Amino acid sequence: MTQAFAPPFNAVPGFDHVETWIFDLDNTLYPSHCRLWPQVDERITLFIGELFGLDGMSARALQKYYYTRYGTTLKGLMDEHAISPDEFLEFAHEIDLSLLDPDPDLGRAIEELPGRKLILTNGSRRHAENVAGKLGIRDHFEEIFDIAAADFVPKPEARTYERFLELHGVDPARAAMFEDLAKNLVVPHALGMRTVLVLPRTPDPFREAHEQEAVEAPFVDHSTTDLTSFLSAILPPKTPPLTTL
């Protein structure tokens, strides 16, 4: 059963065995009000419009068709039109990061987690480096597994997770996965990971409504609207050292 979480909270059970912490990037490690993902989404629409000579509405419809059918727009464009993934990713991720502030509280919460920390994203490594760097949390992550490392096969495909686990030597039975899309937690849960669905605090008008809904499903162990507080609550409170008079 999914365990919803909203601070304040004393402790989050079920993570004592975890030695590897895996995080999605977009809309997971930063809140939706930063308006990063809408910029990427808009640039994907623009890319398709320029590629096929389409107006905005037609380009948007084609973009969503590819996303629904292939898991990412990029995969659809590669499979059906053999476009260069590097050109697409460079264009899509050329965004303004000025609305994204450093998040030292999140950084401390991630740093204090025991074990390894990895990013697993359907975006590019450059995008992940830029975002994590702007947040001030890049140094807390051992490695980034991006869409190129996945051979451009996106989550939620099982082979992407399997490739990730093999490349980084991760035991899924001793790992936890944090994601903003419930469908991307199905395979991790089946592999034995502890799963956490990260939801927006308020509805994001730039995203599909069904992708922001709380999900009550066996493959979602926990859900939260506050990643920093959730991570902080995983560890027991630090007991101050005893002093003698």
Side-chain angles (χ1 to χ4, degrees):
M1 179 182 295
T2 302
Q3 297 187 19
F5 172 86
F9 201 71
N10 293 325
V12 181
F15 291 89
D16 292 346
H17 67 294
V18 174
E19 60 184 20
T20 305
W21 309 84
I22 306 162
F23 294 84
D24 173 50
L25 178 76
D26 289 307
N27 297 311
T28 298
L29 286 174
Y30 63 82
S32 59
H33 68 254
C34 297
R35 290 210 71 244
L36 296 194
W37 178 250
Q39 293 183 65
V40 176
D41 201 33
E42 289 166 3
R43 289 191 64 78
I44 293 173
T45 304
L46 182 59
F47 183 92
I48 291 176
E50 292 180 352
L51 182 65
F52 297 111
L54 299 174
D55 61 71
M57 289 186 63
S58 299
R60 186 74 174 172
L62 185 58
Q63 173 186 351
K64 294 307 176 184
Y65 162 75
Y66 286 140
Y67 175 75
T68 301
R69 179 171 181 181
Y70 292 95
T72 63
T73 305
L74 172 59
K75 188 69 165 60
L77 290 171
M78 290 178 66
D79 285 3
E80 295 198 11
H81 303 283
I83 70 142
S84 164
D86 293 335
E87 179 184 356
F88 173 92
L89 291 168
E90 182 177 356
F91 185 91
H93 291 142
E94 195 62 40
I95 61 173
D96 178 14
L97 296 176
S98 63
L99 293 178
L100 184 64
D101 295 322
D103 194 340
D105 291 337
L106 175 62
R108 280 190 292 272
I110 293 173
E111 182 179 22
E112 291 180 0
L113 295 172
R116 307 167 66 195
K117 298 101 180 186
L118 301 161
I119 292 175
L120 171 53
T121 176
N122 279 345
S124 69
R125 183 184 186 90
R126 177 171 173 264
H127 175 59
E129 293 273 8
N130 289 343
V131 171
K134 189 67 163 50
L135 285 167
I137 63 175
R138 174 62 185 94
D139 290 345
H140 302 312
F141 290 96
E142 174 185 317
E143 189 52 275
I144 295 169
F145 184 93
D146 71 342
I147 192 65
D151 198 24
F152 300 100
V153 177
K155 297 177 290 184
E157 292 291 332
R159 54 182 162 156
T160 295
Y161 299 97
E162 292 163 359
R163 188 183 181 103
F164 164 80
L165 295 172
E166 181 179 0
L167 179 64
H168 294 292
V170 174
D171 178 1
R174 300 184 66 81
M177 180 81 198
F178 297 79
E179 258 281 354
D180 70 300
L181 296 177
K183 67 180 182 180
N184 290 346
L185 293 175
V186 175
V187 172
H189 188 273
L191 291 169
M193 295 188 202
R194 198 74 176 167
T195 58
V196 182
L197 180 62
V198 181
L199 299 166
R201 295 186 184 184
T202 57
D204 183 352
F206 298 99
R207 295 175 61 197
E208 300 292 336
H210 71 272
E211 293 186 343
Q212 305 179 62
E213 297 172 349
V215 175
E216 290 287 340
F219 57 84
V220 179
D221 294 315
H222 303 270
S223 63
T224 182
T225 59
D226 188 333
L227 178 61
T228 299
S229 294
F230 186 92
L231 295 177
S232 298
I234 287 174
L235 300 178
K238 292 183 178 179
T239 302
L242 295 176
T243 58
T244 57
L245 296 178

